[in-house]
Amino acid sequence: MSGTIFTKIINREIPSDIVYEDDVSLAFKDINPQAPVHLLIIPKKEIATINDIEEGDSELVGHLYWVAGKLARDMGFADDGYRVVMNCGENAGQTVFHIHLHLLAGKPLGWPPYTDRMKKA
Ligand code: 5GP
């Protein structure tokens, strides 16, 4: 895999507003926030989509959720509630092919979370 914009963020080749880092993951503010808090939590390992997660990645992917909960507690919105979502592929609107959790918080979030991008025939 050749790497995406997120590889450049991991390697500090482009700037980002990093809020958490450890040996295997990184969390930073989304450049186009869809809520008062909009963070992206990524593994440092390059995995393109959910379809590419291997059994051996289970602990790593679970770790991303642990980071989400930690950030929610540390940033003070754990009790108010928040949303964690990972898009997969074109129909879900995935634009960066390096898996990432979106962590959205800071306001009541509507459900369902999507607007239908396909016009009905
Ligand atoms: P996706 O649509 O793939 O689920 O989400 C990709 C997210 O990455 C989008 O919410 C988009 O705003 C964010 N994003 C794309 N490029 C950059 C960037 O260069 N920096 C940051 N911080 N976020 C980015």
Side-chain angles (χ1 to χ4, degrees), residues 40-87:
L40 301 173
I41 304 168
I42 69 171
K44 290 184 176 176
K45 179 180 179 182
E46 292 175 355
I47 302 171
T49 78
I50 294 173
N51 297 331
D52 302 297
I53 295 172
E54 297 175 347
E55 193 173 359
D57 298 320
S58 299
E59 190 175 336
L60 176 60
V61 175
H63 181 78
L64 303 181
Y65 281 89
W66 175 81
V67 173
K70 174 180 170 47
L71 290 172
R73 291 189 299 276
D74 291 352
M75 297 175 78
F77 53 82
D79 291 341
D80 289 337
Y82 54 98
R83 181 168 295 150
V84 178
V85 65
M86 184 181 287
N87 296 319

